[in-house]
Amino acid sequence: MVGPLTNVQRSATHPLGIAIRGVSKAFGRVRALDDITLSVEAGQFVAIIGPSGCGKTTLLKIVAGLLRPDAGRVEIGGVPVTGPGPDRAMVFQDFALLPWASVLRNVTFGLEVRGAPRPVRHAVAQRVIAKVGLAGFEHHYPHQLSGGMQQRVGLARALAVNPQILLMDEPFASVDEQTRRLLQDDLLTLWADERKTVLLVTHSMDEAIYLADQVFVLSPRPGRLFRIIEVDLPRPRSSQTTRASAAFGRLVEDLWGILKEMQ
Amino acid sequence: MNRVARGEGMADGLPTLGALVALMVAVEVVGRLDLSLFLPTFSAVARVWWQLLQAGPLLGAALKSLVAFGIGFGAAAAGGVVSGTVLGRFRLLGQVFDPFLNVMMSAPLVAFVPVLITVFGISDVVVIVTVFLFTFFVVVVNTRTGFEGTDRRLVEMAQSYGAGEVQLFLRVYLPSALPAIMVGLQLGVVNGVKGLVVGEMLLALVGLGEFLVRYANVFLITHLYAVIATIMAVALLASYAVQLVDRVLIRWK
Amino acid sequence: MGESWALVWGLRGAVVLVVLGVWEWAGRVPVNFAFPTATATARAFAELLGSGALPRAFGISAQAFLLGYGAAVLVGVPFGLLMGLIRPLGRIARVYLDLLITMPMAALVPLVILTMGVRITSSALIVFIFSMPFLATNAYGGVRDVQARLYEMARAFDARWLQILRMVVFPSALPMVLAGMRYGLSRAFIGLVIAELLLAPFGVGRIIVDARSVFAFDRMFAAVLSVILAALLLLSGLQQVEARLLHWRR
């Protein structure tokens, strides 16, 4: 059993796999998800894509432990999910930063919740803030930062608790395209360095193919697993090599074809 | 106060009615317990209220209050909207007068009533001016905020279609500021009624306020409650009246 | 911005001078035999201050004020916070608070005087009922305004309820609570003035009423202005505290 501070104190993480079995979820009469079964191997980077309302965010929240499925279950590393836990951390589309707290304070949020003592919190935070490229901004406030920088803070906050699984809910949807590309590349670099299982929900076909090993396509409401695309593009990926390659273009078009098929 | 500013206004119809009924029931029950001279039953208060209404003094006093309120509020509303418009349209003026407005909004304007009494003597002009003061600044500030908050892009858009100053004002600025103006009037009404009561009480000569002081002086507790209830009713009705106007006028919201 | 800044302050100064000038003129004309000039008022003010009468009166008034306002904050703010956290309580209580806010509280003053007599606690109670509803309502609004997303974020990090209160709800509600304290402060002053004018026997209200009865109008005006000044000073003090606490705002 992973204790509250175990991950924080560990320097290396062993990523865990996610097993989603027969998960269904409805909100009143609206059926968001219908019998979703999929597996994510430990250390894999997986994207979930689909039209609006297909329940991808709902699925992510169920994995995060924020919502309970009506049917089916989610297992992480073989252990069923009953609620949020130290093995997972989430990154939000609208950043969800505390406006009254500095960058440092925001990043240490998860650590503070888990009761890590202040020197530990600060040490971890400094390291992680430097990793996301915000060294020197520790005492700035969210409103002083650009959207891209705010999301880096969100990312740092998630990394600070050293989770085995990173859950990302359209994390780059609120920033402009140039910033998005920079953030994507930085994410890949971080992921290569500290291997975690990543579950990323996105609207962007480009982003899904560029970042992930596997893309799960969900159908419109009620969300069902429609197709799985294997992305066997070589790693490490970069805008110059990967994006320009013919294989990349083909995969994006394949994905587009699948999405069109669902309409 | 801030919730009114956000447009929530008074708790809407049914819950308020329910709360009032619950209050009446509570007062009745507590009154029956006969705990104190100062806790009459609701029915006793209602009976006295009916007596006063029929005998005449209450209605007459209420009418006098209403007239004074009407004049004071009307002048303050009109003057306030105009002033607020000017201050809102012409940024420099708005900036210049900003600290003065803040002072008038924060200061206890009640303190001026004795001054008004010495200047105007013992007459209902004091009440009218008190209502005016209590209402005016609230209306000015809210109106000004309404105009200052006009979306610049709409202005630019209208200008690009060749709209002149007058058209700009009527088609862009005014409709944009209208919600804030209505909020100002709503707040102004509530404040104005408070000014009315305070003015009349300190004057101790006219209207409902005078009755409060009189009944208190002669220890007619139930009568006192009757007048308090009347004042509360007046306050609520005045507030609802403005909200009604708001709903009719600002239907697009 | 240097140029227009000077212009704005210049114009403000002009407005003040005009007002003082008109006042002085009105006193000299005189508009009314009871209307003192600005200079006479200033002199009377200095006298009241020097003789110690004003400070002493404020000292007495301050007791009632601090008692009433302090109680209003200690009762109103926690109650408002509770209203925000416990939905049914909030739904019921907000209706009554709305009534209290609409109601001219001055109308209850004779009742208070009747039941409690003429003493400092009566004044304190009046100050309390004038300010408490606003403090509660603002605290309530502050809690209700906490962004839903922040709750979700905190839960995602597995925060417990008390942690969410401490780390998310209270800091988020603070600006509204402070704004409520500011507004409650000005309301408390209104209550104090009304209480003093109607109770009269002590405090600054006493100076006002006494001065009027001996036709010392310059002293009366001076006392009135001193109350206004005191209110403004306290409010600006509170604003400084607010700015310090909310330094993270632009």
Side-chain angles (χ1 to χ4, degrees):
Chain A
M1 207 58 245
V2 183
L5 288 182
T6 320
N7 280 352
V8 174
Q9 291 151 349
R10 267 197 211 149
S11 46
T13 32
H14 308 289
L16 297 171
I18 308 174
I20 300 174
R21 305 243 173 284
V23 161
S24 299
K25 180 78 183 167
F27 297 104
R29 261 187 293 158
V30 177
R31 294 201 356 251
L33 294 168
D34 191 24
D35 198 27
I36 305 268
T37 298
L38 58 93
S39 296
V40 181
E41 270 174 46
Q44 251 199 335
F45 197 125
V46 158
I48 303 180
I49 196 170
S52 292
C54 70
K56 25 189 216 299
T57 300
T58 307
L59 185 60
L60 202 71
K61 289 192 189 175
I62 291 177
V63 176
L66 291 173
L67 291 174
R68 285 255 170 105
D70 297 333
R73 70 225 210 114
V74 177
E75 283 176 4
I76 294 187
V79 179
V81 165
T82 52
D87 50 344
R88 289 152 283 157
M90 199 155 168
V91 178
F92 299 86
Q93 177 184 350
D94 52 5
F95 324 135
L97 300 179
L98 303 176
W100 55 83
S102 64
V103 166
L104 188 68
R105 223 39 220 293
N106 265 291
V107 171
T108 58
F109 183 84
L111 297 169
E112 206 178 323
V113 165
R114 290 170 203 195
R118 179 177 307 194
V120 173
R121 297 204 304 257
H122 280 214
V124 173
Q126 302 273 21
R127 179 179 64 83
V128 125
I129 287 173
K131 265 203 151 175
V132 299
L134 286 177
F137 285 94
E138 289 85 355
H139 301 291
H140 280 64
Y141 287 88
H143 71 79
Q144 297 172 302
L145 306 175
S146 68
M149 293 166 86
Q150 288 186 48
Q151 194 56 298
R152 290 176 194 274
V153 177
L155 191 54
R157 176 177 61 191
L159 293 174
V161 296
N162 217 359
Q164 281 114 330
I165 297 179
L166 203 55
L167 302 168
M168 309 182 82
D169 187 9
E170 302 195 49
F172 310 135
S174 301
V175 302
D176 63 84
E177 182 165 2
Q178 287 101 302
T179 312
R180 194 180 317 158
R181 288 212 179 178
L182 291 169
L183 289 171
Q184 286 168 348
D185 283 337
D186 284 350
L187 178 61
L188 285 179
T189 312
L190 282 164
W191 177 65
D193 188 42
E194 284 180 26
R195 203 65 173 211
K196 302 178 191 307
T197 312
V198 182
L199 208 52
L200 179 134
V201 165
T202 182
H203 250 132
S204 161
M205 302 176 290
D206 191 281
E207 183 169 88
I209 301 292
Y210 183 64
L211 293 174
D213 296 316
Q214 267 192 326
V215 178
F216 292 105
V217 184
L218 294 184
S219 63
R221 187 176 299 145
R224 298 200 181 92
L225 184 56
F226 189 72
R227 208 65 65 81
I228 305 178
I229 293 186
E230 296 289 337
V231 181
D232 49 8
L233 299 168
R235 288 192 192 273
R237 299 182 186 169
S238 78
S239 284
Q240 299 97 308
T241 56
T242 317
R243 279 215 161 87
S245 74
F248 178 79
R250 237 180 301 125
L251 280 165
V252 174
E253 287 316 305
D254 285 349
L255 183 51
W256 175 224
I258 295 173
L259 289 170
K260 266 197 294 188
E261 215 183 300
M262 289 193 305
Q263 296 305 353
Chain B
M1 176 204 104
N2 293 295
R3 287 180 47 236
V4 178
R6 286 209 308 274
E8 277 182 39
M10 286 261 311
D12 289 340
L14 216 54
T16 320
L17 215 58
L20 284 174
V21 168
L23 192 62
M24 292 191 246
V25 169
V27 170
E28 182 71 18
V29 167
V30 170
R32 297 260 166 132
L33 294 176
D34 218 352
L35 294 169
S36 148
L37 179 63
F38 298 106
L39 295 171
T41 63
F42 176 77
S43 38
V45 174
R47 233 175 300 132
V48 169
W49 184 80
W50 187 241
Q51 273 175 27
L52 289 174
L53 200 61
Q54 297 195 297
L58 206 62
L59 210 56
L63 269 150
K64 278 213 196 83
S65 298
L66 213 63
V67 168
F69 179 78
I71 301 175
F73 179 76
V81 171
V82 170
S83 309
T85 308
V86 169
L87 291 179
R89 275 293 274 119
F90 303 107
R91 302 265 154 148
L92 181 63
L93 282 177
Q95 270 188 303
V96 167
F97 283 97
D98 190 48
F100 300 115
L101 283 174
N102 280 342
V103 165
M104 293 313 265
M105 289 279 280
S106 326
L109 294 174
V110 200
F112 285 121
V113 178
V115 171
L116 292 175
I117 296 179
T118 56
V119 170
F120 294 108
I122 310 238
S123 89
D124 27 347
V125 178
V126 172
V127 178
I128 295 175
V129 175
T130 309
V131 172
F132 179 88
L133 284 177
F134 273 57
T135 311
F136 182 73
F137 298 105
V138 176
V139 176
V140 171
V141 169
N142 279 278
T143 306
R144 187 192 77 181
T145 307
F147 278 96
E148 280 181 348
T150 309
D151 194 343
R152 299 247 119 250
R153 292 171 302 181
L154 288 178
V155 176
E156 281 165 12
M157 179 278 294
Q159 283 173 327
S160 74
Y161 280 98
E165 276 304 319
V166 175
Q167 281 188 312
L168 212 58
F169 181 79
L170 289 174
R171 311 289 295 281
V172 179
Y173 281 106
L174 194 54
S176 168
L178 217 50
I181 296 178
M182 290 313 296
V183 168
L185 289 174
Q186 284 179 45
L187 292 172
V189 149
V190 172
N191 258 30
V193 172
K194 299 185 182 191
L196 175 73
V197 174
V198 163
E200 288 182 344
M201 286 176 66
L202 291 175
L203 207 51
L205 194 71
V206 301
L208 291 167
E210 188 262 325
F211 269 89
L212 276 173
V213 177
R214 193 206 296 182
Y215 287 141
N217 284 342
V218 297
F219 265 82
L220 285 170
I221 312 291
T222 321
H223 288 64
L224 186 63
Y225 275 103
V227 179
I228 291 176
T230 311
I231 289 177
M232 186 152 106
V234 167
L236 286 173
L237 285 170
S239 177
Y240 272 133
V242 181
Q243 272 183 56
L244 208 65
V245 172
D246 180 20
R247 227 161 283 194
V248 166
L249 225 60
I250 323 282
R251 233 173 308 156
W252 63 266
K253 224 166 180 264
Chain C
M1 272 296 264
E3 236 186 50
S4 54
W5 177 88
L7 181 61
V8 167
W9 277 100
L11 281 172
R12 287 180 186 158
V15 170
V16 172
L17 286 173
V18 165
V19 168
L20 285 175
V22 168
W23 180 4
E24 186 73 14
W25 170 83
R28 284 180 197 233
V29 167
V31 152
N32 181 310
F33 81 93
F35 202 87
T37 63
T39 39
T41 310
R43 233 178 298 133
F45 181 76
E47 220 184 273
L48 278 172
L49 211 57
S51 69
L54 203 59
R56 244 175 295 134
F58 266 108
I60 302 176
S61 302
Q63 287 175 50
F65 182 82
L66 288 169
L67 197 57
Y69 181 66
V73 171
L74 290 172
V75 169
V77 173
F79 183 68
L81 294 173
L82 228 70
M83 276 173 68
L85 296 169
I86 305 174
R87 276 294 152 107
L89 176 65
R91 252 200 309 255
I92 299 176
R94 78 182 254 188
V95 179
Y96 288 105
L97 282 180
D98 272 346
L99 288 173
L100 286 175
I101 289 179
T102 313
M103 172 78 184
M105 279 301 177
L108 296 178
V109 172
L111 192 60
V112 172
I113 299 179
L114 270 189
T115 48
M116 294 180 60
V118 175
R119 36 222 270 259
I120 294 202
T121 34
S122 314
S123 271
L125 183 61
I126 294 171
V127 169
F128 178 85
I129 62 178
F130 265 79
S131 51
M132 195 288 255
F134 292 85
L135 288 161
T137 302
N138 267 55
Y140 172 58
V143 174
R144 288 223 318 171
D145 277 353
V146 176
Q147 295 171 52
R149 175 70 78 209
L150 292 181
Y151 276 120
E152 191 175 74
M153 183 278 290
R155 285 204 307 131
F157 280 97
D158 206 11
R160 292 182 305 271
W161 239 123
L162 266 131
Q163 289 179 312
I164 297 182
L165 278 182
R166 180 175 61 87
M167 296 168 76
V168 178
V169 177
F170 291 161
S172 185
L174 191 62
M176 273 284 259
V177 169
L178 288 175
M181 284 182 68
R182 240 191 309 125
Y183 197 65
L185 188 70
S186 60
R187 289 282 307 174
F189 249 97
I190 296 174
L192 181 71
V193 172
I194 292 180
E196 301 232 320
L197 290 176
L198 288 173
L199 268 72
F202 52 83
V204 186
R206 177 89 186 259
I207 299 186
I208 295 177
V209 171
D210 282 354
R212 192 170 81 196
S213 53
V214 298
F215 302 105
F217 296 109
D218 48 0
R219 204 182 319 152
M220 188 187 102
F221 270 51
V224 167
L225 283 173
S226 70
V227 172
I228 309 261
L229 224 75
L232 293 172
L233 278 168
L234 270 172
L235 273 166
S236 101
L238 193 52
Q239 258 175 318
Q240 307 274 24
V241 173
E242 192 180 345
R244 196 74 53 88
L245 283 171
L246 302 182
H247 65 277
W248 51 269
R249 277 187 166 178
R250 67 216 77 202

